[in-house]
Amino acid sequence: MTVLFSMIMLWGCAKKEYCTVTLHYRRAHAAFAGKADDHEKCENNLCEYSFQIPTGQKPEDVYGDLSIASEKGLQFAGWFTGKNGKEYLTDDLPGYPVEKDLDLYASFSEPGEEHWFYGASGWWFRKKNGYVKDDWVYQDGEFYHFNKEGNMDTGWYYEDGHWYFLKDDGVMARWWLHLNERWYYFDHSGSLQTGRVNINGQEYCFYPNGVMAGGWFYEDYRWYYYDAEGQMKTGLFTDGEDTFFFDENGVMVTNDWRSSEGTYHWFGPEGKMVRNSWVGEYYLDENGERAVNRWIGKYHVGPDGKWDDTRTSENGSSVEVK
């Protein structure tokens, strides 16, 4: 018993008077009704059927019935723009106005075989037990999700407390994603990451909406800083006229000493490096470095930078205090 399918044309072509449509198929699998015989060319069981149509018109309006029929036991799976069967166009929907030259390849499959379909509402995926609905599909190393109506999802998708992103081709995003001039990161399962994340040994941070942090970031009563590449700062860092210090965990240091390249610095309650000022028995010079073995006014600091209270200077002379 032969099953007939309506042939589909799609839109899109340069502005010209006529567009050429060429259909490719195997003679053993298909036959055309209507006026097809006048345009069919076959060689070694491979056939082509070409015709011209005024740009912007439907084939059925010009040629009438141009149906394709499958052999018993096979089902028509749709028209493809590539021989590999992956650049899918359409199945047995009503015809569309043709707006560009088209080379379409007919695809047939065994009943129940898994394959893609494209309908008026988007992409579908058929398994042996029917169309996939409200579920994930793993195909050719990638994940796809289909909604309750069976349409392939694109864009943001929320499930069981996790956010996912489906690209324009339906592929679930994993690892880095650059979207609308912002960076996001998804783990191996496609779940959007937030907070502080170690990626290949480098610390990054992501806001609650998943956007990669840049600049200052406050979390759990601690300050961090992330550069334009999203990498967490450690050690000395200058922002404007102020210098800060971040420990090995990226936490900004406050009210404490830190050593850098053999020189000690003091960082105050706001994390800023102190300059030209005494901190206890130590003096920080104009570079924020702890002074050693020198006079600071009438006071002297020793080799460890500590004020030596046994010595004072009056009128430029050194006096040992007893």
Side-chain angles (χ1 to χ4, degrees):
M1 178 178 179
T2 301
V3 180
L4 294 179
F5 298 86
S6 297
M7 182 183 70
I8 308 173
M9 300 295 115
L10 284 185
W11 60 100
C13 150
K15 293 299 181 181
K16 58 182 182 179
E17 187 176 357
Y18 288 91
C19 290
T20 300
V21 178
T22 303
L23 309 175
H24 305 263
Y25 53 94
R26 289 184 177 273
R27 190 54 166 160
H29 291 170
F32 283 93
K35 302 177 181 180
D37 293 342
D38 297 335
H39 304 269
E40 187 179 59
K41 296 180 181 179
C42 296
E43 183 177 350
N44 297 327
N45 204 37
L46 297 178
C47 299
E48 292 183 359
Y49 170 56
S50 297
F51 60 90
Q52 286 192 323
I53 184 171
T55 301
Q57 294 194 34
K58 298 180 181 180
E60 61 186 36
D61 292 342
V62 178
Y63 286 91
D65 182 20
L66 290 173
S67 300
I68 187 170
S70 67
E71 249 184 357
K72 183 179 180 181
L74 293 177
Q75 59 185 15
F76 177 60
W79 293 103
F80 294 82
T81 58
K83 294 181 181 179
N84 59 9
K86 290 187 177 180
E87 301 172 61
Y88 196 77
L89 282 179
T90 181
D91 52 20
D92 54 342
L93 299 176
Y96 290 96
V98 175
E99 300 289 347
K100 69 177 181 180
D101 291 342
L102 293 176
D103 271 277
L104 305 181
Y105 295 82
S107 176
F108 294 87
S109 62
E110 298 289 341
E113 184 179 298
E114 295 185 352
H115 53 273
W116 290 89
F117 275 95
Y118 187 82
S121 57
W123 286 92
W124 296 62
F125 190 81
R126 177 182 288 171
K127 287 188 173 183
K128 293 181 179 180
N129 58 349
Y131 287 106
V132 176
K133 295 184 179 182
D134 197 23
D135 203 358
W136 292 91
V137 166
Y138 184 72
Q139 184 79 2
D140 298 327
E142 303 291 354
F143 284 95
Y144 304 82
H145 188 269
F146 297 82
N147 63 25
K148 294 180 179 180
E149 287 72 41
N151 297 310
M152 183 185 75
D153 282 321
T154 58
W156 291 102
Y157 172 70
Y158 186 76
E159 179 181 87
D160 296 334
H162 299 277
W163 280 102
Y164 302 86
F165 188 83
L166 292 312
K167 302 176 186 178
D168 289 343
D169 59 1
V171 173
M172 181 190 72
R174 288 189 285 184
W175 318 125
W176 287 103
L177 174 69
H178 192 230
L179 181 68
N180 297 329
E181 299 184 358
R182 297 178 176 180
W183 283 101
Y184 301 83
Y185 188 78
F186 302 81
D187 66 13
H188 69 283
S189 68
S191 176
L192 177 68
Q193 300 297 287
T194 60
R196 299 176 64 208
V197 182
N198 188 295
I199 303 173
N200 298 325
Q202 179 64 51
E203 290 288 334
Y204 295 83
C205 191
F206 300 87
Y207 294 117
N209 63 358
V211 174
M212 183 183 75
W216 290 98
F217 183 80
Y218 188 70
E219 181 184 59
D220 295 334
Y221 306 102
R222 296 179 175 89
W223 281 103
Y224 303 83
Y225 191 91
Y226 296 85
D227 64 19
E229 301 298 323
Q231 297 184 359
M232 182 182 72
K233 286 290 185 182
T234 60
L236 286 174
F237 169 68
T238 298
D239 184 21
E241 297 181 354
D242 298 311
T243 299
F244 304 84
F245 191 93
F246 299 89
D247 66 18
E248 63 276 11
N249 296 314
V251 177
M252 184 186 74
V253 172
T254 59
N255 294 320
D256 203 358
W257 292 99
R258 281 296 185 272
S259 175
S260 176
E261 299 181 356
T263 301
Y264 281 90
H265 309 271
W266 176 264
F267 299 88
E270 295 181 347
K272 299 177 181 179
M273 179 188 291
V274 174
R275 306 171 192 268
N276 299 314
S277 181
W278 286 94
V279 175
E281 299 178 299
Y282 300 90
Y283 185 81
L284 287 309
D285 65 16
E286 66 275 9
N287 297 316
E289 299 178 356
R290 190 164 72 184
V292 295
N293 291 324
R294 57 177 286 194
W295 289 97
I296 310 298
K298 64 179 182 179
Y299 302 100
H300 187 270
V301 292
D304 61 354
K306 188 175 182 180
W307 168 48
D308 183 356
D309 61 1
T310 66
R311 303 176 67 184
T312 62
S313 175
E314 296 180 357
N315 299 323
S317 62
S318 299
V319 177
E320 184 173 350
V321 180
K322 297 183 180 178

